[in-house]
Structure formats: C-alpha cells, structure tokens
Amino acid sequence: GEPGGPDSEVFYDFGIAHDPKFGESCHPNCDCGRFLEIGNSVFMLYQKQTDGSLKELAQKNVDFGGGLERLMAAIDGDPDVFKTAFFLPIIKEIERLTGKEYGKEPAAMRIICDHLKGSVIMIAEGLEPSNKQQGYVLRRLLRRAALKVFRMKPEAKSQDFDAIIATIFAMYEGIYLDQKADFDRVSG
C-alpha cells in the first residue's frame, strides 16, 4: 500500500575530480564526493497494490525532501555535512575527548555526533531509554555512540560525555533545549 510516483532529484556539483576507485565514470549517484543530493520531490500519484499494480490516488500531492545540513554543505563548498556548523562544534568536542582526529576516525565520530545529538534532543523532550518502541531506539542510539567512544578511548568515563552534551546544549539553547530545565536530566 505504499504511495509513490515519479520524482525529481536536485544534486549539487562540488566540482571535485572523480576518484576512479568508485568506478570508471562519475554520475550524480557516485560515491566519490563530487555530487550531493540536496533535495528531491516525489509526485505522489499512485498507491502500489498487493498484486504489484498501481492505483491512482484520489488525493495527489508533492512530497519534498530536503536536507538543511546538505544545503549548508553546498553553501560551504564541502560535501562533508559533518564539517558544517550543525555538526562541527560537536565533532571538535569529540576530538578533544578522544584525543583522535576526525580525518582519521570519520565514521566513528559521525556516529557519535549524530547519535548523541538526536539522543539529547529526545531525552529533553521527555523520552527515556527502555526496551519498547521509541525508548528502545533511544537506548540503541546511546549504546552505539558510547561503544564508539569507548573503542577510541577505553578509559573514558560516562562523565566525559557531559562536555559533548554541553556543546549540543550550547548549539540548540532556546531552540530545542533549555539548559536550566533539561541538562541535569539529559546528562544523568
């Protein structure tokens, strides 16, 4: 019963030379870093039926998907969204905590950054880690971020995460977060 239809995608070309390790030729979906999809529009016209046929929707619409971080990467001229102002302060704090450089541990630091940022906002909204539904997702995000930190710095303590949490609060104070009301609960 999935709705769908034709779509259009908007890519930004960073003008970076193609890296042949990603194939002979470059194209918008190439992983070499030259192109970044910054948005798309899906023209919702049909609903897929169990037999594979398509039934026209009574109510049609356009579903736009755009990434603020991806737009910022295009503005900054760097395809790495984790180097934008939305992530870089957190990455810098993770570098300080672990003693590692982002350029040498990008995958782990991206996971820590992304998972902790989302987790902090979820906890501030009242969600708690649990074994069910959204609480389970939150618990998995926290566990995966912690695992990455402890692999990079085995002697890290749970209190070491407070500096990362404080950075997230500083970035989103008054938007999603209220340090006075939420910090102790989130960092606890």
Side-chain angles (χ1 to χ4, degrees), residues 44-85:
M44 301 297 214
L45 303 175
Y46 307 104
Q47 182 180 32
K48 190 172 189 176
Q49 305 299 296
T50 54
D51 66 1
S53 65
L54 300 175
K55 178 182 173 188
E56 196 166 328
L57 290 169
Q59 181 95 22
K60 297 169 183 67
N61 64 66
V62 177
D63 177 25
F64 173 75
L68 185 58
E69 292 92 349
R70 291 169 179 241
L71 288 170
M72 187 68 146
I75 290 168
D76 290 348
D78 189 328
D80 187 345
V81 297
F82 286 90
K83 290 181 181 176
T84 66

Side-chain angles (χ1 to χ4, degrees), residues 21-33:
K21 77 177 180 184
F22 294 101
E24 257 183 58
S25 61
C26 194
H27 51 84
N29 287 318
C30 184
D31 290 325
C32 73

Side-chain angles (χ1 to χ4, degrees), residues 24-186:
E24 257 183 58
S25 61
C26 194
H27 51 84
N29 287 318
C30 184
D31 290 325
C32 73
R34 178 177 171 182
F35 297 100
L36 180 66
E37 182 183 345
I38 58 173
N40 64 54
S41 295
V42 179
F43 301 92
M44 301 297 214
L45 303 175
Y46 307 104
Q47 182 180 32
K48 190 172 189 176
Q49 305 299 296
T50 54
D51 66 1
S53 65
L54 300 175
K55 178 182 173 188
E56 196 166 328
L57 290 169
Q59 181 95 22
K60 297 169 183 67
N61 64 66
V62 177
D63 177 25
F64 173 75
L68 185 58
E69 292 92 349
R70 291 169 179 241
L71 288 170
M72 187 68 146
I75 290 168
D76 290 348
D78 189 328
D80 187 345
V81 297
F82 286 90
K83 290 181 181 176
T84 66
F86 297 114
F87 293 106
L88 193 57
I90 305 165
I91 293 289
K92 293 291 183 194
E93 192 55 43
I94 295 166
E95 285 181 319
R96 191 197 62 72
L97 168 66
T98 63
K100 308 283 185 192
E101 292 178 33
Y102 174 69
K104 294 182 180 174
E105 299 273 356
M109 288 196 188
R110 288 171 180 167
I111 290 168
I112 296 164
C113 178
D114 180 65
H115 287 26
L116 286 180
K117 181 176 166 180
S119 296
V120 164
I121 292 170
M122 285 189 271
I123 294 168
E125 287 291 319
L127 192 61
E128 293 184 10
S130 72
N131 293 327
K132 295 181 181 172
Q133 299 177 341
Q134 298 95 334
Y136 178 73
V137 172
L138 174 59
R139 191 181 95 198
R140 293 294 305 250
L141 291 173
L142 290 168
R143 179 179 286 165
R144 190 163 185 229
L147 183 67
K148 296 294 182 186
V149 169
F150 292 129
R151 282 190 180 153
M152 285 195 291
K153 185 178 180 182
E155 69 277 10
K157 305 280 187 259
S158 59
Q159 308 87 285
D160 292 335
F161 288 84
D162 284 351
I164 300 170
I165 293 168
T167 301
I168 296 167
F169 266 86
M171 292 173 66
Y172 293 96
E173 181 72 31
I175 300 167
Y176 292 113
L177 303 170
D178 179 350
Q179 184 140 0
K180 288 181 184 175
D182 300 323
F183 187 82
D184 289 341
R185 184 167 41 88
V186 171

